[in-house]
């Protein structure tokens, strides 16, 4: 088979790898302005030690400290022998604290905390939030989230995310989620034309679309292939059948599994930042909008937030900042989310 690093499909999907390490955002920046981190942390401690604190001033300082990739929590503890998150929790409103906690703890820990809350609430948004995290996470991130979930859970409920989901889900959807949690997806960009044609041909001739525990071709394609390979396979599927892969998903699957597979197709064809932009836009009228907004903006701060902001503007002809401004959020919550977005947008523009 001929293996290529080039793939067909939407050019927007070629702008990034499926998921990149958090360090990538820092590496893309120009060197940050000279900053004495110890002095900044002492100033932060002094602010938090006041009886009345300026919420905006504290938030601005933490965003500034987090931007170059410092482990602010550890450094603060080493200098002051105090827990920064405990101090913030006592001094700040809940939503401001949640945003800064997400920003400081990073993607995997923040994702685990989101899922702990979502599964505890067990409402109509729970599955949406589970899919949002699992489909947007790399294999290594899934492993970290699985482990962090146990640490974030309430005492007496010490189970991994995998164990919790296996106990609470059923049928084909449970088997799909279990397969995703194994973290076997290839994150490269190489494509194999012969493999894509062969798997597209098998999919086009299949009459039994069931999600099983066996290593059948359907599991292999959707769970293990990289996004460029998926896109190429879908392209050949359309050539073979004259139909889009989404047609068979809509016909053969239902409910949560149907939604998960359609989302995977969307990610493969449009790119992860565009999918995240879609999540933000489509959740704006839903009860879990703020959860989505905080998770995407704060936890993906060092991943692909700059690309997400760019794709949001292209796709919806408005900036994500405009969306946040007009979302009816508490003023300080809105200001903080906008500050985070503007920080990555400015850094990205400087690099350009």
């Amino acid at each position: 088979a001929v293996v290529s690093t080039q793939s067909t499909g939407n050019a927007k999907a070629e702008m990034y790898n499926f998921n990149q390490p958090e360090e990538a955002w820092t590496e893309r920046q120009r060197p940050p302005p000279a900053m004495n981190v110890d002095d900044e942390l002492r100033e932060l401690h002094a602010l938090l030690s006041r009886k009345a604190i300026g919420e905006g001033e504290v938030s601005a300082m933490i965003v500034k400290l987090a931007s170059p990739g410092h482990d602010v929590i550890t450094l603060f503890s080493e200098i002051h022998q105090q827990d920064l998150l405990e101090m913030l929790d006592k001094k700040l409103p809940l939503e401001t604290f949640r945003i800064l906690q997400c920003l400081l703890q990073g993607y995997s820990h923040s994702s685990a905390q989101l899922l702990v809350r979502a599964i505890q609430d067990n409402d109509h948004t729970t599955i949406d939030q589970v899919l949002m995290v699992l489909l947007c996470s790399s294999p290594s991130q899934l492993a970290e989230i699985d482990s962090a979930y146990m640490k974030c859970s309430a005492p007496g409920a010490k189970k991994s995310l995998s164990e919790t989901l296996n106990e609470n889900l059923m049928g084909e959807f449970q088997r799909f989620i279990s397969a995703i949690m194994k973290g076997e997806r290839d994150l490269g960009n190489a494509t194999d034309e012969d493999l894509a044609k062969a798997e597209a041909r098998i999919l086009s001739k299949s009459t039994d679309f069931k999600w099983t525990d066996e290593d059948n071709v359907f599991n292999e394609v959707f769970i293990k292939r990289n996004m460029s390979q998926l896109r190429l396979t879908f392209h050949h599927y359309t050539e073979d059948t004259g139909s889009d892969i989404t047609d068979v998903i809509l016909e053969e699957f239902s409910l949560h599994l149907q939604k998960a597979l359609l989302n995977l197709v969307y990610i493969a064809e449009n790119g992860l930042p565009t999918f995240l932009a879609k999540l933000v836009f489509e959740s704006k009228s839903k009860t879990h909008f703020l959860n989505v907004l905080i998770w995407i903006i704060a936890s993906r701060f060092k991943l692909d937030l700059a690309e997400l902001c760019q794709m949001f503007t292209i796709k919806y002809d408005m900036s994500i900042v405009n969306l946040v401004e007009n979302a009816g959020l508490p003023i300080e919550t809105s200001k903080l989310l906008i500050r985070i977005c503007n920080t990555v947008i400015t850094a990205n523009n400087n690099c350009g």
Side-chain angles (χ1 to χ4, degrees):
V2 178
V3 179
S4 168
T5 57
Q6 300 297 318
S7 61
T8 62
N10 192 328
K12 290 187 289 186
E14 306 294 339
M15 295 178 62
Y16 71 105
N17 292 329
F18 176 65
N19 228 312
Q20 56 186 336
E22 292 196 12
E23 291 80 8
W25 186 82
T26 302
E27 289 169 1
R28 289 204 307 270
Q29 297 183 90
R30 292 180 181 275
M35 174 170 54
N36 187 314
V37 178
D38 288 359
D39 287 348
E40 296 282 345
L41 289 170
R42 290 188 181 94
E43 185 178 344
L44 175 61
H45 183 266
L47 281 174
L48 292 172
S49 299
R50 297 176 186 170
K51 287 186 177 181
I53 68 169
E55 182 180 340
E57 193 175 0
V58 170
S59 297
M61 184 166 288
I62 289 178
V63 173
K64 179 182 176 183
L65 282 163
S67 296
H70 298 302
D71 184 349
V72 180
I73 295 174
T74 300
L75 291 172
F76 189 91
S77 176
E78 289 174 352
I79 294 173
H80 301 291
Q81 288 73 55
Q82 288 181 276
D83 189 310
L84 174 58
L85 291 178
E86 285 184 5
M87 294 187 74
L88 293 173
D89 192 16
K90 291 176 182 177
K91 293 285 188 176
L92 297 172
L94 176 61
E95 300 307 343
T96 300
F97 170 71
R98 280 182 58 201
I99 296 168
L100 294 178
Q101 181 185 37
C102 202
L103 193 70
L104 291 168
Q105 291 186 320
Y107 179 76
S108 297
H109 198 280
S110 300
S111 298
Q113 287 180 320
L114 173 73
L115 293 181
V116 167
R117 289 192 296 268
I119 291 170
Q120 285 174 345
D121 291 343
N122 193 25
D123 61 19
H124 67 284
T125 71
T126 297
I127 294 298
D128 285 344
Q129 293 180 78
V130 168
L131 283 176
M132 176 177 74
V133 172
L134 300 194
L135 296 183
C136 296
S137 300
S138 67
S140 62
Q141 288 167 341
L142 286 172
E144 292 170 359
I145 293 167
D146 198 28
S147 175
Y149 182 89
M150 186 179 296
K151 297 174 184 176
C152 295
S153 298
K158 296 298 182 182
K159 294 180 181 178
S160 69
L161 177 60
S162 298
E163 292 170 326
T164 303
L165 293 174
N166 281 335
E167 288 180 5
N168 289 278
L169 300 174
M170 296 184 297
E172 288 184 295
F173 186 60
Q174 183 273 329
R175 292 191 285 274
F176 169 82
I177 292 297
S178 180
I180 287 285
M181 287 299 297
K182 290 179 182 177
E184 295 179 327
R185 186 175 307 284
D186 170 27
L187 294 187
N189 287 315
T191 57
D192 185 326
E193 187 86 21
D194 292 342
L195 178 64
K197 288 179 179 179
E199 293 185 335
R201 195 173 303 116
I202 294 172
L203 289 176
S204 68
K205 293 180 179 179
S206 178
T207 58
D208 185 25
F209 284 95
K210 298 294 183 184
W211 206 275
T212 70
D213 292 319
E214 302 168 4
D215 288 330
N216 61 32
V217 69
F218 207 71
N219 298 35
E220 289 284 317
V221 171
F222 278 86
I223 294 297
K224 297 183 180 180
R225 303 294 178 247
N226 68 52
M227 292 295 141
S228 297
Q229 184 70 26
L230 269 180
R231 193 161 57 253
L232 188 58
T233 300
F234 299 154
H235 169 75
H236 286 297
Y237 178 89
T238 300
E239 283 195 338
D240 289 348
T241 66
S243 300
D244 193 88
I245 190 68
T246 57
D247 295 334
V248 72
I249 292 172
L250 289 168
E251 183 177 342
E252 300 289 342
F253 297 99
S254 61
L255 301 174
H256 303 315
L257 183 53
Q258 181 190 88
K259 184 171 188 176
L261 295 174
L262 290 174
N263 283 342
L264 268 177
V265 172
Y266 189 93
I267 292 170
E269 293 184 341
N270 297 278
L272 187 56
T274 305
F275 175 67
L276 288 163
K278 179 173 177 281
L279 283 178
V280 172
F281 187 80
E282 292 183 351
S283 67
K284 66 183 187 298
S285 60
K286 298 181 180 178
T287 55
H288 65 303
F289 174 58
L290 189 54
N291 285 347
V292 173
L293 209 56
I294 291 174
W295 177 75
I296 288 178
I297 291 178
S299 81
R300 301 195 73 90
F301 176 58
K302 297 175 187 174
L303 292 173
D304 48 14
L305 181 58
E307 291 86 349
L308 185 160
C309 292
Q310 180 184 15
M311 289 303 157
F312 192 93
T313 301
I314 292 170
K315 186 171 178 63
Y316 299 109
D317 198 27
M318 66 181 296
S319 72
I320 198 167
V321 168
N322 295 145
L323 178 75
V324 173
E325 285 175 334
N326 296 294
L329 302 175
I331 293 175
E332 291 301 327
T333 300
S334 178
K335 285 182 178 178
L336 177 52
L337 291 171
I338 290 169
R339 182 185 296 277
I340 295 170
C341 289
N342 284 335
T343 298
V344 297
I345 291 168
T346 299
N348 198 54
N349 289 341
N350 287 343
C351 287

